[in-house]
Amino acid sequence: MTRAVLVSSSAAPAVTEVDVPDPTEGEVLVDVTYSSVNYKDGLALARNPGVARLDPLVPGIDAVGTVSAVGPGVHGVAIGDRVVCTGGGLGENRYGGWAAHVVAPSAALVVLPDDMDDSFAAAIGTAGFTAMLSVLALERFVDPAAGPVLVTGASGGVGTVAIALLTARGYAVTASSGRRAANEASLRALGAVDLIDRDTLSEVGKPMQRATWAGAVDSVGGGTLANVLASTQWGGAVTACGLAQDSALPTTVLPFILRAVSLLGIDSVNAPQELRQRAWQRLATDLDPALLAGVTRTVGLRDAITVGAEVVAGAVHGRTVVDVAGSLGR
């Protein structure tokens, strides 16, 4: 048995004891030290069927800790390794990281760099990993000298990490946020050189608009993404990794055929191992822990339940780490 947050259709989310199975083919058992609170975790708490595919379910799409057992057919990870797990069905179709122990597919694990501590890895989590994948994709198309780069959803987990990463690579970042006044100082500390209100982008405008952005990292989707595409410069690129506004994309082919704009899809859940390792290596070198610490708070398992709902409501700035093994996790 292990201590965990359990969500079910018959009861409110609560901290309780759940069974821990032995790892089977291709799986490992991780003694979890930290997890984090992500948008998907908030949806799982609300029993959103697009995320919560088990009943009952332990949320937590991230898990950081130490491998304590391995199943057959596992390669590249061993007992005693400190690892981070993102994706792989955690917190969706299998029990996730809001538990003291989790069984995870080894393909979703990355052994942590020696100089990266567990809490920092959890603060990065899926959001920061997704931001890094977005930057890796964007820098293939957009040079820092090409012009300003936009980050939408800038106050969220993906957005805050993306600003810091892009700034470290020399990009001039404009941050779009619905909480511009409240978070301006923090967003500028991360590296944003300019800020705009998300309302200027949320309503769908003309299919072609003034060419403004050399590139963009979008975690919002919907009309916002349509407007970003419509205002991207010739040859620019936009990464898409979220749907906080809408999964629909009300746009036309005009930005693609008149300005050669590239739309780059980002999938962190099924990313192959080589890409995972490259992303985490870059996170270890490109992301300043002090910058991330400035937009990170730590909570225990019980408080994570409350924070999950706040994340979905767009009321959380930056990242929230869940202390699973420490005093807050008890």
Side-chain angles (χ1 to χ4, degrees):
M1 301 289 286
T2 191
R3 187 172 175 80
V5 173
L6 192 66
V7 179
S8 74
S9 58
S10 59
V15 179
T16 185
E17 297 288 321
V18 300
D19 290 326
V20 182
D22 293 327
T24 60
E25 181 76 24
E27 294 180 333
V28 303
L29 177 65
V30 178
D31 296 345
V32 181
T33 52
Y34 295 94
S35 184
S36 65
V37 184
N38 296 276
Y39 190 80
K40 278 187 175 180
D41 299 322
L43 294 178
L45 288 166
R47 296 296 307 164
N48 182 296
V51 174
R53 297 167 189 156
L54 278 185
D55 188 11
L57 174 71
V58 175
I61 63 173
D62 298 336
V64 179
T66 301
V67 175
S68 58
V70 299
V74 170
H75 305 284
V77 62
I79 293 174
D81 284 343
R82 292 188 311 114
V83 295
V84 56
C85 181
T86 59
L90 263 65
E92 297 185 69
N93 55 33
R94 63 194 302 155
Y95 280 10
W98 290 11
H101 303 88
V102 65
V103 174
S106 60
L109 299 179
V110 173
V111 177
L112 289 176
D114 291 338
D115 56 352
M116 180 181 287
D117 64 41
D118 289 14
S119 60
F120 180 44
I124 294 170
T126 289
F129 174 54
T130 302
M132 188 72 254
L133 293 180
S134 299
V135 173
L136 288 171
L138 193 69
E139 64 188 10
R140 297 185 355 242
F141 292 81
V142 180
D143 188 273
V149 170
L150 178 69
V151 174
T152 67
S155 294
V158 174
T160 50
V161 178
I163 292 170
L165 290 172
L166 287 165
T167 299
R169 302 298 289 181
Y171 292 91
V173 179
T174 295
S176 168
S177 173
R179 290 165 284 155
R180 175 181 175 183
N183 297 331
E184 179 168 2
S186 175
L187 293 172
R188 289 192 182 278
L190 289 168
V193 297
D194 199 6
L195 283 83
I196 59 175
D197 194 280
R198 70 180 178 194
D199 289 344
T200 63
L201 295 170
S202 59
E203 297 297 325
V204 180
K206 295 179 179 179
M208 292 292 285
Q209 302 171 28
R210 183 170 67 89
T212 303
W213 316 112
V217 172
D218 177 69
S219 60
V220 177
T224 295
L225 178 54
N227 285 323
V228 173
L229 290 167
S231 54
T232 297
Q233 299 171 10
W234 194 97
V238 178
T239 66
C241 65
L243 42 69
Q245 180 180 0
D246 202 334
S247 61
L249 181 56
T251 190
T252 71
V253 299
L254 295 182
F256 310 114
I257 65 174
L258 296 182
R259 287 190 186 152
V261 172
S262 296
L263 177 58
L264 311 175
I266 304 299
D267 171 26
S268 63
V269 174
N270 301 299
Q273 183 62 211
E274 183 278 331
L275 180 57
R276 289 176 183 271
Q277 292 178 3
R278 182 154 55 96
W280 280 96
Q281 288 165 1
R282 281 282 300 272
L283 284 161
T285 58
D286 289 16
L287 184 57
D288 183 349
L291 285 180
L292 189 57
V295 290
T296 300
R297 61 171 166 167
T298 301
V299 301
L301 286 172
R302 284 193 177 88
D303 288 337
I305 297 171
T306 301
V307 176
E310 294 172 350
V311 168
V312 175
V316 173
H317 176 41
R319 298 287 290 141
T320 302
V321 169
V322 182
D323 179 356
V324 177
S327 59
L328 293 177
R330 297 194 182 100

